């Protein structure tokens, strides 16, 4: 729908909900209980996704099998633990646009990032630089800086952080391409977030991957804010690696098991340096307990330890919902839902707030980042007391993420109504 067709009314929001083909998915999630007497408007699925109602049953099944089968559960649990991670592979691969051989669920995000850097950041005296987006998520900055130092280089020289042009808040793809070309032969790795956690900008990963590979650099993506949020085609884009977590848009619960992608072109290359552990060893001979590591072909060969089954159970619950809804339909709804929220914010037209997230749908996911004048946190606090669960990011941004799986158009309208009231705008026609 063209965003010009939106109307800022509760009835209109309800009519969008009534015609939403994904509306029934809201029922599959547990919403937090009302706070301060107000129903909760949950907009922090970009931070911790809601609990799928099936999560408890899936986790209980593993507790039950552990109780009744003990060690036999590795082979005889309803979903045997030995190959448990394999039950997640296909659906996870679908979410990130990868082949199953390129996808593995393991560890947590920053750990996976380090494991991928071990394999794909192999600096030489000539080619040693890493390019990332400026103000990347801190964990990513720490990870790359520590890897640079680990190899004996100086982050002050080896780390290139791309900043927006003067007066702009988001990056232009052509500027990234030019910088990649300029640093050319000195670039060992280009690594971007799929969606920047602060601005909500979705990077043009196909173009970045192209430019990096043309320059002869490896290319990787951190998809923490992209997986389950925007359309991804990791295989086609030709990234060397990607990592993501599954407690944000993927709703697998706090500390959930993360994902990693290694492109198929590396699948059979057992010479790539890596930190090895027995779970990455060839499955046919793993239990022969031999002294030499033979990696499984593909992303699974980067596993180190046997994984946490209870955590994978909740991820399985969530991925089944994703498979049922389908990323394509989710993205379609997402564009409309976030477009509606953006439209409503424009109706408020108050100089104290500005949306810094790009307005082109190809350049963002569901999150809108609202900059607050003078970094006045009291607006955020008022929203919170009114039942809005959003998040404040220093120095001056409120992030709201209407998630297409479980948020609806009435939620967006509810936010608009409350925000308008908190800004002291008229409440005429919108009720209290
Ligand atoms: C959320 C997030 C993380 C968090 O890292 P963990 O290892 O899961 O604690 C890292 N990087 C990015 C870009 C994130 O958005």
């Amino acid at each position: 729908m063209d965003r010009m067709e939106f109307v800022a009314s509760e009835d209109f929001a309800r009519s969008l909900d009534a015609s939403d083909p994904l509306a029934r998915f809201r029922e599959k999630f547990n919403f937090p209980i009302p706070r301060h007497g107000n129903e909760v408007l949950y907009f922090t699925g970009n931070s911790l996704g809601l609990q799928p109602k099936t999560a408890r049953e899936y986790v209980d099944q593993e507790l039950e099998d552990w109780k009744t089968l003990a060690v036999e559960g590795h082979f005889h649990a309803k979903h045997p633990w030995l190959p448990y991670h394999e039950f997640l592979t296909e659906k996870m691969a679908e979410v990130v646009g990868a082949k199953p051989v390129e996808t593995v669920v393991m560890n947590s995000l920053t750990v996976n990032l380090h494991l991928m850097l071990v394999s794909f950041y192999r600096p030489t005296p000539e080619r040693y630089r890493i390019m990332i987006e400026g103000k990347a998520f801190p964990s990513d900055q720490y990870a790359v800086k520590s890897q640079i130092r680990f190899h004996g280089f100086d982050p002050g020289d080896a780390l290139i952080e791309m900043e927006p042009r003067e007066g702009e808040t988001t990056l232009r793809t052509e500027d990234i391409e030019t910088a990649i070309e300029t640093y050319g032969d000195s670039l060992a790795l280009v690594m971007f977030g799929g969606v920047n956690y602060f601005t909500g900008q979705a990077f043009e990963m196909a173009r970045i991957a192209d430019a990096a590979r043309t320059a002869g650099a490896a290319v990787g993506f951190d998809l923490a804010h992209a997986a389950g949020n925007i359309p991804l085609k990791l295989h086609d884009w030709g990234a060397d690696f990607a990592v993501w977590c599954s407690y944000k848009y993927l709703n697998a619960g706090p500390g959930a098991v993360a994902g990693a992608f290694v492109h198929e072109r590396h699948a059979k290359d057992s010479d790539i340096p890596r930190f090895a552990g027995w779970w990455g060893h060839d499955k046919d001979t793993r239990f022969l307990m031999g002294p030499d590591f033979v990696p499984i072909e593909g992303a699974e060969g980067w596993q180190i330890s046997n994984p946490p089954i209870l955590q994978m159970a909740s991820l399985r619950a969530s991925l089944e919902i994703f498979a049922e809804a389908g990323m394509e339909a989710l993205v379609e709804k997402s564009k409309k839902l976030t477009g509606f929220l953006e439209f409503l914010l424009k109706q408020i037209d108050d100089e104290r707030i500005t949306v810094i997230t790009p307005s082109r749908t190809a350049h963002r996911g569901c999150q809108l980042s609202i900059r607050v004048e003078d970094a006045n946190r009291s607006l955020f606090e008022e929203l919170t007391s009114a039942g809005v669960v959003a998040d404040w990011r220093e120095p001056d941004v409120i992030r709201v993420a209407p998630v297409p799986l479980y948020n609806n158009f009435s939620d967006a309208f509810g936010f608009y109504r409350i925000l308008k009231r908190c800004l002291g705008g008229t409440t005429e026609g919108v009720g209290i």
Side-chain angles (χ1 to χ4, degrees), residues 41 60 141 368:
L41 287 172
D60 275 352
Q141 297 183 45
L368 293 181

Side-chain angles (χ1 to χ4, degrees), residues 9 36 43 70 112 144 164 203 223 277 330 334 341 353 361 405 414 430:
S9 80
H36 318 294
F43 290 109
N112 286 345
V144 295
F203 294 108
L223 304 175
L330 284 168
S334 182
L341 179 61
I353 57 166
T361 53
L405 252 186
V430 292

Side-chain angles (χ1 to χ4, degrees), residues 85-302:
H85 70 275
E86 296 171 25
F87 307 142
L88 305 168
T89 305
E90 255 174 58
K91 293 187 175 74
M92 191 59 114
E94 198 60 42
V95 168
V96 295
K99 295 186 177 184
V101 70
E102 298 172 318
T103 310
V104 66
V105 167
M106 60 180 188
N107 310 314
S108 47
L109 168 57
T110 311
V111 170
N112 286 345
L113 178 54
H114 275 294
L115 295 180
M116 292 296 120
L117 290 171
V118 163
S119 294
F120 297 103
Y121 174 56
R122 285 179 282 143
T124 63
E126 298 75 35
R127 198 183 267 285
Y128 60 94
R129 290 197 163 108
I130 300 182
M131 180 183 291
I132 63 172
E133 84 246 37
K135 303 190 184 64
F137 193 90
S139 200
D140 298 27
Q141 297 183 45
Y142 307 154
V144 295
K145 284 183 192 167
S146 65
Q147 288 274 344
I148 287 170
R149 288 195 191 97
F150 176 76
H151 287 284
F153 293 90
D154 169 16
D157 170 38
L159 183 62
I160 314 298
E161 295 176 273
M162 281 297 296
E163 294 293 344
R165 291 185 190 185
E166 187 78 32
E168 299 185 4
T169 43
T170 52
L171 284 167
R172 299 191 192 198
T173 310
E174 63 266 28
D175 292 352
I176 300 171
E177 289 169 330
T178 306
I180 291 174
E181 219 183 299
T182 306
Y183 285 103
D185 290 349
S186 74
L187 272 183
L189 172 69
V190 174
M191 205 208 55
F192 272 74
V195 174
N196 180 269
Y197 81 101
F198 188 80
T199 62
Q201 176 178 21
F203 294 108
E204 292 187 273
M205 287 178 267
R207 285 176 60 182
I208 293 172
D210 256 0
R213 296 191 64 207
T214 303
V219 55
F221 296 112
D222 182 333
L223 304 175
H225 282 266
N229 179 20
I230 62 171
L232 297 168
K233 291 196 158 53
L234 288 176
H235 175 81
D236 294 350
W237 295 338
D240 291 287
F241 73 86
V243 290
W244 59 96
C245 55
S246 55
Y247 49 81
K248 291 173 179 167
Y249 293 105
L250 295 179
N251 314 314
V257 198
F261 163 91
V262 178
H263 199 277
E264 192 178 29
R265 64 179 174 273
H266 303 299
K268 293 183 198 294
D269 186 352
S270 55
D271 294 333
I272 296 184
R274 69 184 91 194
F275 286 171
W278 75 317
W279 224 249
H281 186 93
D282 174 43
K283 289 175 200 171
D284 293 335
T285 56
R286 183 192 286 151
F287 288 96
L288 297 180
M289 307 301 213
D292 294 318
F293 178 72
V294 180
I296 305 171
E297 288 183 2
E300 279 185 288
W302 269 264

